[in-house]
């Protein structure tokens, strides 16, 4: 079941020309998953456009789900982008709508190991030497969410102690209610240790994260 039309594929292929090193995309599914089939089909379309991408589909019961942090919230699909030491870039829910652009940019960033963070932000980020988990709640129609997701994932790519989740709040409604999500993007740090809203500039975003530690 193809998701992308030929025009979409042409645009996606152009973005994926920025890939350098091989990457793995792990999609975890379960029997009750609303958008698992569509997610697998979407990423199969993406995989077909770049030799550097290897898609692997797993059941949520696979031990790899726990190893990659895909099983921490009930539901699916969960997509994890990995390369070498990078494994903390996750999407809970189908990466469609506005989030598809951030997903593609994440593929390139994980492949190259390079983000668009300023050098000053990267230097300050290296001071974090304890586990940090950033969770960004999004919706497919939110125009500011991709920027927040990309910033969170960039921090994870640049620092092995940081993991970052994009959570589609409507697919994970119970989780959104648990975290009191009223507007998106809502960013939570280490659960409820820290919380802020909006697509802040990377420097300010990092400051909010550090204040929660």
């Amino acid at each position: 079941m193809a998701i992308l039309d030929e025009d979409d594929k042409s645009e996606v292929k152009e973005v994926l020309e920025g890939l350098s090193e091989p990457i793995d995309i792990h999609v975890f599914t379960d029997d009750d998953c609303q958008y698992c089939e569509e997610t697998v089909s979407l990423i199969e379309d993406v995989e077909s456009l770049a030799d550097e991408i290897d898609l692997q589909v797993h059941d949520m019961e696979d031990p790899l789900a726990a190893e990659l942090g895909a099983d921490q919230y009930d539901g699916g699909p969960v997509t994890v982008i990995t390369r070498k030491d990078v494994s903390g870039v996750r999407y809970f829910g189908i990466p469609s709508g506005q989030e598809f652009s951030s997903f593609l940019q994440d593929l390139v960033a994980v492949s190259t190991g390079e983000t668009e963070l300023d050098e000053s932000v990267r230097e300050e980020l290296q001071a974090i030497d304890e586990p940090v988990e950033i969770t960004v709640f999004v919706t497919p129609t939110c125009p500011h969410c991709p920027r927040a997701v990309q910033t969170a994932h960039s921090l994870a790519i640049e620092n092995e102690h940081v993991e970052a989740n994009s959570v589609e709040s409507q697919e994970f409604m119970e989780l959104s209610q648990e975290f009191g999500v009223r507007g998106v993007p809502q960013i939570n740090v280490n659960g409820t240790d820290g919380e802020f809203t909006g697509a802040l500039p990377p420097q300010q975003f990092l400051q909010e994260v550090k204040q929660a530690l």
Side-chain angles (χ1 to χ4, degrees):
M1 178 179 66
I3 301 295
L4 302 177
D5 62 27
E6 291 306 313
D7 288 340
D8 293 333
K9 288 182 178 180
S10 178
E11 293 180 10
V12 170
K13 189 171 185 177
E14 185 174 344
V15 174
L16 297 181
E17 289 177 356
L19 296 170
S20 57
E21 296 296 321
I23 58 174
D24 294 319
I25 305 178
H26 300 272
V27 179
F28 295 88
T29 67
D30 61 36
D31 294 337
D32 299 324
C33 177
Q34 183 178 3
Y35 292 107
C36 283
E37 183 178 350
E38 289 85 349
T39 298
V40 171
S41 295
L42 174 63
I43 299 180
E44 283 177 342
D45 283 354
V46 173
E47 179 194 32
S48 71
L49 301 174
D51 293 336
E52 295 87 352
I53 298 175
D54 181 22
L55 169 62
Q56 301 176 39
V57 181
H58 314 270
D59 187 271
M60 194 63 77
E61 299 301 318
D62 190 315
L64 190 61
E67 182 179 331
L68 294 180
D71 66 343
Q72 58 186 305
Y73 303 133
D74 291 335
V78 181
T79 304
V80 187
I81 307 168
T82 68
R83 180 186 71 89
K84 296 180 180 178
D85 296 332
V86 178
S87 60
V89 177
R90 310 186 191 103
Y91 283 82
F92 288 79
I94 184 170
S96 64
Q98 295 285 343
E99 292 311 303
F100 187 58
S101 62
S102 60
F103 176 73
L104 295 177
Q105 293 301 324
D106 280 341
L107 296 181
V108 175
V110 172
S111 174
T112 61
E114 299 175 355
T115 71
E116 296 183 357
L117 296 177
D118 290 340
E119 181 63 29
S120 60
V121 176
R122 290 202 296 268
E123 289 180 358
E124 187 174 353
L125 176 62
Q126 295 314 308
I128 295 180
D129 58 2
E130 60 184 283
V132 180
E133 184 172 63
I134 304 169
T135 300
V136 184
F137 289 92
V138 305
T139 62
T141 58
C142 165
H144 304 295
C145 289
R147 181 178 174 188
V149 169
Q150 279 189 258
T151 299
H153 284 160
S154 293
L155 299 182
I157 292 168
E158 296 278 0
N159 187 316
E160 63 181 3
H161 299 289
V162 180
E163 300 182 352
N165 309 314
S166 170
V167 177
E168 209 291 283
S169 60
Q170 295 172 347
E171 290 181 52
F172 289 78
M173 187 63 70
E174 289 185 9
L175 184 66
S176 299
Q177 292 173 348
E178 178 183 335
F179 278 78
V181 176
R182 294 180 177 81
V184 291
Q186 175 175 306
I187 299 92
N188 285 77
V189 182
N190 288 345
T192 57
D193 287 353
E195 180 184 311
F196 57 99
T197 304
L200 303 180
Q203 182 74 49
Q204 190 175 348
F205 192 110
L206 179 56
Q207 291 303 316
E208 292 284 350
V209 171
K210 291 173 65 178
Q211 287 178 17
L213 303 181

